[in-house]
Each structure stands twice: as C-alpha cells, then as structure tokens.
Amino acid sequence: MLVTQQPVFRKFWHAVMPLTELASGPRPFRLLGEDIVLFIDASGQPAALRDRCCHRTAKLSKGWCVDSEGQACGTGAIQCGYHGWTYDRSGQVIRIPQYEPGRTISPDYKTTAYRCTARYGYAWVALEEPIADIPAIPEFDDPGYRTIFQFYEEWQTSPMRALENSFDNSHFSFVHRATFGVAASPKPSRYELVENESGFYAETVIEATNPVKFHAISGVTDPITTRHMRNAYFLPFSRRLDIEYPSGVRHIIINCFTPIDDGRMQLCQWLFRNDTEADCSAQMLIDFDEAVTREDKDILESTDPDALVDTRRRGVEYSMESDRPGMLIRKHLMQLLARHGEAEVHRGMSAVIPVAKAA
C-alpha cells in the first residue's frame, strides 16, 4: 500500500513533532508526502502551514517567528526568510515589509493551513477534517506513572510494516535473540483478540530473557521471566503495548508510526512506568528499549515498505497462524478504505479503480 495515494489517511491526526523541537523556531516536516512547516504561535499553540510562501515559493521553514512589531522571537507569526512576508496560523499573509503602513493586503495572499493541536507533548497534524480523535493516553496525566519521551526518529519503512511487527510474537526468538528473545522457544504464544471500532485489543503472555544488568527493568531476578502483554491497535497507525512483569512493574509503550511518504515513517515513542527513578533510571529504560528497537529497525528497513494490505492479491506475501494480528490490521485498513470509496493503491498499478462507497 502506498500511503500517500490513500486520501483517507489525511483525515486522521498524526503525531508529527515533539513540542520541544519547536522551542527555537519553525521546523519542516513531510507528512503523507506533503511538505509542512510547524511553529509555535503567539498564544503558545503549535500551528502547521504548507511549507511554501505564496510570493516566490520559498520554504517558510527557512524563516523565523516574529512578534506583533515584526521583531524576531521564539514564538508568534512566521516570517518568510526570502522577502519577509509574514503569515498567521490560518495561513493568511498579515504583513508585507515592502508595503507602506496601512496598505491593505489582498485576502488572496495566503498559503494552506492544516489542523494542528498539542497533545501529550507533541504537535499533532491532520491534513483534512479529522474523522477520529487522537487515541487516549490516560497515563500521561496519571501521577502514578512517569512519562519518558523515548524515540523520535525516521525509519526507512512503512507504518504497516512497523504495526505488524509490533504484534508479531513469532520474531522474538530471532530478531531479539540478543535482548529478550528466548532462542529455545521459537513457537509463539497465542493472542486472545477482541475487535472494536477503532481496531482491536490483543492479550498474551510470553517468556523473556532477563539478564542481570536489566533486572531493574523487570523488577525480578529470574533468568527467564514472563511478560503479560496487553496490546492494542488504533486506526490507522498507532499502537499501545502494556507489558506487566510478575513484580507488578508496568512498562507501557505508545507508538505512533507517522507516515512521511511511501518509503519512510517517523517513529514516535512514549514510555510510561509505575515505578520511580530510584527503582530504575530513565536512561537504563531508554538504553534497553533502544537496543530492542534497533533490532526491529534493522530488519524492517530490509523489507519492502509497499506492504500488501488487500489479501485478495494472491502470491505477493504468504502468512502463517501467528500472523493473525497483522491480518486483522489489514482487515481494518481495508474496511476503512472501502467506507471511503477507496481501494488499495500499490506499486505497479496501471490505474486506480475506486470501490463503491459503503452505505
């Protein structure tokens, strides 16, 4: 599936950038193939515009923020670095330095503005009117949990590949044999799956190696421990993994696999823990999850990002019983496309033929 060719994905909120990245001024991002610029406006809220000035098409991300007097500052309106045309969060040009004071600026002078909001320490963007809310993360405001912002990085793969991998128990003994995978137990545990409107919930228990240097992460000292995994998928490209160890320690990972274009995605990862810094340092948690994540990244970047979604296309990819969560992801994505009159668009298609819109 080529995500940039599926218009429905423009109608979802996507985690685009940590708010801390915008503290020093405008930043560029590519979302679903669209070049956008993000900045913090005068009210302290993130804003997103098409990354083109309507004057001579320079990238607005080459500019800076200015206050009401036109002076450079960290937050405010965004000023083009080419000729100084200045835009508010609605994309309207509000100042042209070459004009004499009081001269009217044409309302046609504007660039596209996108919906942008702050949530969970990130700027989220929807390219069109969203049809679903941002998935809830109750631990973010729960004093019983600490929040650790772990990863914000580009991967050369697609959200579909990252999603199916995150529910795939059959790769642990191979991809993660150097971290938590149990090499002697290649047969995966079975998920209990419950579907819902936004995706599905998947629960299982797995074995995991527990080296001495990471005992503080699990809270137990057994060489092999268990992980009670409560996993959830949210349309289109998010997941929640709630790992509970026998010690009662909860290790909750939230991922948004944000589509940059048809071959790249941005990994956004939060971690929530119900212990303290004295129990297990944030740096140890980051180091452990980074080692695991690097293993996934290495193998996923070797796959074809144009992942098959419509399973009626035979002979492209084959599956086994443990791939059931990945097949459910495909089912929900196909249902989403059908509801909006779309068919899967993939590489090599000579024409895109939309399906009839569901009643």
Side-chain angles (χ1 to χ4, degrees), residues 15-27:
V16 167
M17 191 172 294
L19 295 172
T20 53
E21 296 282 322
L22 300 175
S24 59
R27 291 287 304 275

Side-chain angles (χ1 to χ4, degrees), residues 7 31 46 52 61 74 87 115 181 216 236 325 334 338:
L31 177 61
R52 288 290 182 194
S61 55
Y87 299 79
R115 294 152 187 82
M334 283 300 295

Side-chain angles (χ1 to χ4, degrees), residues 40-84:
I40 301 295
D41 69 12
S43 65
Q45 296 301 308
L49 305 177
R50 181 170 181 259
D51 197 8
R52 288 290 182 194
C53 179
C54 67
H55 176 222
R56 288 296 180 266
T57 75
K59 288 184 175 294
L60 292 175
S61 55
K62 296 289 187 181
W64 46 84
C65 288
V66 294
D67 61 21
S68 59
E69 302 300 320
Q71 299 301 307
C73 60
T75 62
I78 185 170
Q79 186 171 64
C80 180
Y82 193 6
H83 296 94

Side-chain angles (χ1 to χ4, degrees), residues 53 65-72 76-80 83-88 92-101 103 105 109:
C53 179
C65 288
V66 294
D67 61 21
S68 59
E69 302 300 320
Q71 299 301 307
I78 185 170
Q79 186 171 64
C80 180
H83 296 94
W85 286 32
T86 304
Y87 299 79
D88 63 15
Q92 190 67 52
V93 176
I94 58 172
R95 185 181 302 111
I96 297 178
Q98 294 80 11
Y99 280 15
E100 60 274 14
R103 181 176 171 180
I105 298 173
Y109 292 4

Side-chain angles (χ1 to χ4, degrees), residues 10 267 357:
R10 299 171 61 90
L267 170 69
K357 192 168 184 178

Side-chain angles (χ1 to χ4, degrees), residues 170-238:
S170 64
H171 78 282
F172 296 161
S173 298
F174 304 95
V175 174
H176 300 303
R177 62 190 183 278
T179 50
F180 71 88
V182 180
S185 302
K187 188 174 181 178
S189 62
R190 182 176 175 81
Y191 272 116
E192 295 298 324
L193 294 159
V194 179
E195 296 185 68
N196 53 54
E197 289 185 1
S198 61
F200 59 82
Y201 172 82
E203 187 170 350
T204 192
V205 177
I206 70 163
E207 290 184 334
T209 58
N210 188 39
V212 173
K213 65 179 179 177
F214 292 131
H215 282 177
I217 289 172
S218 64
V220 298
T221 58
D222 301 321
I224 294 180
T225 187
T226 59
R227 290 178 167 187
H228 188 168
M229 298 170 62
R230 303 175 178 92
N231 220 340
Y233 164 60
F234 303 95
L235 280 168
F237 304 128
S238 299

Side-chain angles (χ1 to χ4, degrees), residues 153-155 292-302:
E153 59 189 36
E154 181 181 309
W155 285 21
V292 174
T293 302
R294 292 287 77 76
E295 293 169 332
D296 284 320
K297 182 175 188 285
D298 181 62
I299 198 68
L300 287 178
E301 289 190 336
S302 76

